[in-house]
Amino acid sequence: MLLGPFFPARWIAGLPDRGVMADDVLPYMPGQTYLAKKSPAWSTGVQTSASGRRRTTAYYPAPFWTFQINYNAVRKRPGLDEWSRLVAFFNRRKGQFGDFLYFDRTDHQVTKHRFGFGDGVTRTFQLTRAIEGWVEPVYGVVNIDLMTIAGAPVTAYSVSALGQVTFAQAPGLGQALEWTGAFFFRCAYDSDSLDGAQPFGRIWEMKNVSFTSIKP
């Protein structure tokens, strides 16, 4: 069952091109639905003794996120070849081999999120985000609108591709570090094949395209 509105292919055929995306960001197409699936996934070891006592071990410090997208209409015509764009993106990853960045349009913002405290020595910190009280690392940054140390804005820092912030000077002992901005999910495809169907001459469908966030 598809989630989100269904747009007939004849409507999508006339929509403007979204343009070329960044090479490492999954392209967004006019004919794709809202997420058909998004769920956190944990890994737990479970042992049950002969007496029935249950013992568990959590193997992940944070969950992976599984996503699934349906493309109801992917255009392929001279001057507007979305099909080739998606296939080329998949092939550059070599299926499951490589990783990419996914921008979730409903889950990407942080506002004054506290991601650590200074100790007077450490200069590099991993950016994180929170879902209510749960905190997890961020491995891709869209932009940083504001970075503060103890409430004071700072600009003397750099950000790595994996979301690590390095300050020019180590924040002082106990000083709170906060950021406001947007993030990506760093992901990899769940399959080595990308299945498509051609219901119309210049329109393709790609169903159940799934991928999962990764820990670099």
Side-chain angles (χ1 to χ4, degrees):
M1 178 179 178
L2 299 181
L3 298 180
F6 172 76
F7 299 104
R10 65 180 182 277
W11 293 3
I12 296 171
L15 291 177
D17 185 12
R18 293 284 183 178
V20 177
M21 305 294 178
D23 180 67
D24 57 349
V25 179
L26 181 66
Y28 176 74
M29 300 296 178
Q32 75 184 57
T33 66
Y34 294 125
L35 282 171
K37 175 184 177 182
K38 178 181 178 180
S39 59
W42 292 87
S43 178
T44 306
V46 180
Q47 292 182 330
T48 304
S49 68
S51 65
R53 177 171 292 177
R54 180 175 179 267
R55 298 185 182 277
T56 58
T57 302
Y59 296 127
Y60 294 167
F64 292 137
W65 290 91
T66 60
F67 301 91
Q68 189 177 93
I69 291 178
N70 290 301
Y71 297 93
N72 284 338
V74 180
R75 296 170 289 188
K76 182 174 176 58
R77 64 173 187 257
L80 182 53
D81 195 344
E82 295 170 338
W83 180 86
S84 292
R85 196 178 301 166
L86 280 175
V87 171
F89 184 88
F90 181 82
N91 288 340
R92 284 195 295 270
R93 265 83 234 160
K94 299 180 180 179
Q96 299 179 79
F97 177 77
D99 62 83
F100 59 89
L101 299 173
Y102 172 64
F103 182 71
D104 185 339
R105 294 174 181 272
T106 62
D107 182 15
H108 61 266
Q109 292 182 320
V110 297
T111 302
K112 295 183 178 180
H113 170 66
R114 185 166 297 177
F115 62 94
F117 291 90
D119 59 8
V121 177
T122 303
R123 295 172 52 228
T124 300
F125 298 82
Q126 179 68 52
L127 289 178
T128 60
R129 70 82 169 250
I131 302 177
E132 293 193 355
W134 175 257
V135 177
E136 61 184 357
V138 165
Y139 294 124
V141 177
V142 179
N143 64 277
I144 295 179
D145 296 324
L146 179 65
M147 180 75 68
T148 64
I149 298 177
V154 295
T155 58
Y157 64 87
S158 61
V159 184
S160 75
L162 297 179
Q164 289 187 325
V165 175
T166 300
F167 295 99
Q169 293 184 339
L173 180 64
Q175 291 185 326
L177 314 177
E178 296 182 344
W179 78 293
T180 297
F183 62 90
F184 292 111
F185 289 90
R186 187 169 294 275
C187 299
Y189 285 107
D190 293 336
S191 174
D192 280 331
S193 64
L194 185 65
D195 298 329
Q198 191 176 13
F200 303 99
R202 296 182 177 182
I203 299 289
W204 284 74
E205 294 177 341
M206 293 180 179
K207 303 293 187 181
N208 303 322
V209 178
S210 63
F211 47 92
T212 302
S213 66
I214 64 171
K215 179 181 179 181

